[in-house]
Structure formats: structure tokens, C-alpha cells
Amino acid sequence: MAPAISIASNSWDVIGFAVNEGHGVKGLADLGLETLPKQYIQPPEEQITTSTIVDDDSIPVIDISNWNDPRVGDSICDAAEKWGFFQIVNHGIPSEVLESVKEATRRFFALPAEEKNKHSKENSPTNNVRYGTSFTPKAEKALEWKDFLSLFYVSDDEAAAFWPSACRNEAIDFMKKSEFVIRQLLEALMKRLNVREIDETKESLLMGSKRINLNYYPKCPEPELTVGVGRHSDVSTLTILLQDDIGGLYVKKLDGDAWVHVPPIDGAIVINVGDALQILSNGKYKSVEHRVIASGIKNRISVPIFVNPKPNDIIGPLSEILESGEKPVYKQVLYSDYVKHFFRKAHDGKETVDFAKI
């Protein structure tokens, strides 16, 4: 471990080191910093404080071992309406698959910076593989304390050619072993919207594309001054999140400004509704703001699978909902336009979904 050092605010190019050279925040953390570089200090309104955290509430935890029990489907739909977030246990994804992808995430981020940086936006031979830090550094006033590897799935052959060997097989295995759970969740959610079956068109709209991210949140010298991930909602249909045992994910309650911690549960998967499903359900299912705090104690990792429409799909309220006379809240939008709008700017809470409002 390098000796602890302090950074003089103007004497060193932090952005060049972390962003351009690919060292990321892991590189900064490995220097043994005693103070947080000023580029990472969030404005006070973005720093999470104890006054806005609620300890006596939590998102639902749903045992999905028996899909024949109608209460399972009802619990999922209720959670999607009232919270937009829930955890599932007894889901059938083998624990060794979950442990392997967590280990692969640690292995990838332990690689030398020059190795990881081969997959940066500037160096990657494909847009489908992207190593980076923060969210959109060029658009952010303050950077986020996180490094990531983002992998858009096209085919096994494409992944074999371009995904990093340190984590390729484990990431694909987690995606494939999750597919049956994703389909069961979507079938339950669709049933309440009067969608009787997920045909080819619906399959494309709901789960036509997938992206898996490996996220790394290093231990931070002054965690209260920054964020791991700023306030945002996901652009997905559903997000399937595997988190380690460190904690730090917070969800905003629908009825106010309070934030609720999502405690790590061994073997559980966190599920959240994304903007695409909020739009498709005409607002019945809620895509809610969430954020991740930085940790001053340990490194944290998480592995989300984003289940999305295909980029060229037009998304809008499903016809089955409008047939009953309900008025559409959202217009029809090209999904790729929606996603571009999201990635063009810094994390800003729920602003993206307004892009699709009538």
C-alpha cells in the first residue's frame, strides 16, 4: 500500500489520472489519499444526510420459490406499484453463479490500469464494451466515486471476441442463469396489466436487449462529501441487481423525500422497475430514484443486469391498458433516443422520464 498522501488542490491533474489514463477511483484510493480530491466533492444538496434516512421502513422481500401461489405474483405487482423496488429470495439462481460473478468483478478491477483502459471509450474496438469511471465525467459538475465495466450483450461469439477474459464467462453465466427469473417476473407484472401472454413483439419491448455492468466502489477517504452513484432512475424495463455484503444502496420513498436503505441479504437479488416499464405500464409501475453512498470502511461491488427494450423499439403505454379507456400519460418514443437523453447528462433524479411525458 502506498503511503497516505494529501493532494494539493491545483498541483495535480486528478481528471487526467482517474479518467483519461484509466486509473479510475480505484487508482486514487490505492494512493492512500487522506482527503477527497475537490473534483469529487458533491454540492451539499446531493450529499446524503442522516436527517433524510428512514430506519423504520424497508422495501419488500419476496420469497418466489412457489410461483403457483398467486400471492407471489400479487406481492411482486404490489411492490412494483408502491415501491418500484423489492428483493427476491429462493429465486433458483445457483449461489455459486452469484459468488463467481462477484469474484470476477474483483478480478477485473484488480487488473493494471493500462489493461482495463484497453476497454475505455477511446480504446475499445466496440461500443458494446466500455470501461469507465463516474457516470458522464464531461457533463458532471462533481464526479462520482465509482468505476465500472459495461457490457452490452449481442451474442456469445461477440462476447468471446470483445469482453475481457477476466470476467467474460462469469458475466454471461449470471445473465443466462437469470433469464428464467426475469421472464417469470415480467409475466407476473404483465398479468396485472391485462397482457395475457408475452408474444414476440412484447418480448422485444420488455426484454429485447440486455446489458450487464460490473461496478466497483473503492473505500473512500471522506465518504460523506461524495456519492458512489448520484440520484437517478434506471432506463431499463427491469434491473436485476446483485450486491455484496457492504450495503450503501438507498431508495427514495414515493411519498416524500425520505430515503430507505436496501440491506444486503445473503443470496438475495434486488429487483427494480426501470423507466421503460413505467412508460409501458402508463405509470402504474414506478421507476424510483435511488443512489449509492460511498463507504469509508470497505470496497464495495455490485453487478446489475439491465433488461431493456431493443434500441429500435418504440415504447409507449401498452395498448391493453389504453383499451380500458385509460388516457396515456406518456407519448411514443424511440427507445434509443430515450437512452441517449439519459447518458447525455449527469445523474439528475427522475428528470429523464419527463422526456417521454405528453
Side-chain angles (χ1 to χ4, degrees):
M1 168 66 88
I5 61 171
S6 187
I7 294 179
S9 57
N10 298 312
S11 63
W12 188 51
D13 181 8
V14 171
I15 301 284
F17 177 82
V19 179
N20 304 335
E21 292 173 28
H23 291 277
V25 282
K26 182 179 187 299
L28 291 172
D30 288 348
L31 292 172
L33 305 182
E34 289 180 334
T35 55
L36 187 72
K38 62 174 185 176
Q39 292 85 348
Y40 290 88
I41 297 175
Q42 295 285 332
E45 64 272 16
E46 295 302 334
Q47 296 169 11
I48 196 161
T49 59
T50 49
S51 63
T52 58
I53 295 172
V54 179
D55 289 326
D56 60 352
D57 214 345
S58 60
I59 68 168
V61 178
I62 303 170
D63 182 335
I64 63 167
S65 55
N66 182 10
W67 281 101
N68 295 323
D69 184 344
R71 287 175 299 184
V72 173
D74 286 341
S75 298
I76 287 163
C77 295
D78 290 346
E81 286 182 30
K82 292 169 188 161
W83 281 96
F85 261 84
F86 52 97
Q87 299 205 62
I88 54 171
V89 294
N90 296 322
H91 42 67
I93 304 168
S95 59
E96 55 269 24
V97 170
L98 306 183
E99 291 309 312
S100 293
V101 77
K102 285 193 277 191
E103 196 46 52
T105 301
R106 294 185 188 100
R107 189 162 57 240
F108 173 78
F109 287 102
L111 293 170
E114 56 272 20
E115 198 58 40
K116 290 181 287 195
N117 213 28
K118 287 176 183 173
H119 305 286
S120 70
K121 183 178 181 179
E122 291 69 30
N123 301 328
S124 179
T126 169
N127 283 335
N128 296 329
V129 176
R130 178 74 44 82
Y131 161 72
T133 190
S134 192
F135 179 61
T136 46
K138 289 183 171 70
E140 291 166 320
K141 292 188 179 76
L143 299 181
E144 300 176 350
W145 195 257
K146 178 189 90 165
D147 296 335
F148 66 88
L149 176 69
S150 186
L151 304 164
F152 183 82
Y153 180 78
V154 175
S155 68
D156 285 3
D157 288 347
E158 203 258 4
F162 296 114
W163 290 20
S165 58
C167 56
R168 176 201 308 131
N169 294 340
E170 294 82 0
I172 289 175
D173 200 27
F174 178 38
M175 277 180 59
K176 296 204 163 174
K177 295 289 195 319
S178 308
E179 273 175 10
F180 76 101
V181 177
I182 293 164
R183 181 169 276 279
Q184 285 173 312
L185 291 168
L186 287 169
E187 282 175 354
L189 290 161
M190 287 301 105
K191 198 171 171 186
R192 189 171 282 190
L193 301 178
N194 297 320
V195 175
R196 281 156 193 77
E197 65 160 337
I198 298 178
D199 59 16
E200 228 172 277
T201 309
K202 291 281 192 309
E203 187 163 316
S204 177
L205 271 178
L206 295 169
M207 49 194 295
S209 68
K210 290 194 188 77
R211 179 184 295 280
I212 183 166
N213 279 15
L214 312 185
N215 295 326
Y216 189 84
Y217 305 88
K219 182 180 162 185
C220 181
E222 294 178 288
E224 67 287 350
L225 297 180
T226 190
V227 292
V229 179
R231 300 176 300 112
H232 71 289
S233 60
D234 294 345
V235 292
S236 56
T237 305
L238 284 181
T239 302
I240 315 299
L241 175 77
L242 173 64
Q243 60 171 345
D244 65 10
D245 59 353
I246 306 302
L249 171 63
Y250 285 82
V251 172
K252 192 175 186 184
K253 291 187 73 173
L254 278 168
D255 57 358
D257 292 322
W259 293 83
V260 175
H261 187 229
V262 179
I265 297 172
D266 190 37
I269 302 277
V270 181
I271 308 292
N272 67 278
V273 172
D275 292 355
L277 185 53
Q278 178 169 320
I279 292 165
L280 290 163
S281 71
N282 205 33
K284 189 175 185 73
Y285 298 137
K286 309 297 191 298
S287 172
V288 304
E289 280 183 57
H290 49 286
R291 68 202 321 190
V292 175
I293 63 166
S295 169
I297 303 160
K298 283 186 173 177
N299 304 325
R300 175 182 185 266
I301 57 163
S302 69
V303 185
I305 299 170
F306 300 101
V307 182
N308 309 311
K310 283 189 175 147
N312 58 354
D313 278 335
I314 305 283
I315 60 166
L318 293 167
S319 58
E320 287 87 345
I321 298 169
L322 303 181
E323 277 165 10
S324 64
E326 203 173 299
K327 287 204 162 39
V329 179
Y330 301 101
K331 60 192 175 193
Q332 306 281 324
V333 291
L334 180 66
Y335 185 64
S336 58
D337 283 349
Y338 189 83
V339 173
K340 277 180 201 150
H341 180 68
F342 177 69
F343 283 105
R344 201 176 285 138
K345 57 196 174 43
H347 280 141
D348 56 5
K350 284 283 293 172
E351 297 299 314
T352 311
V353 83
D354 291 341
F355 177 73
K357 275 198 168 155
I358 288 176

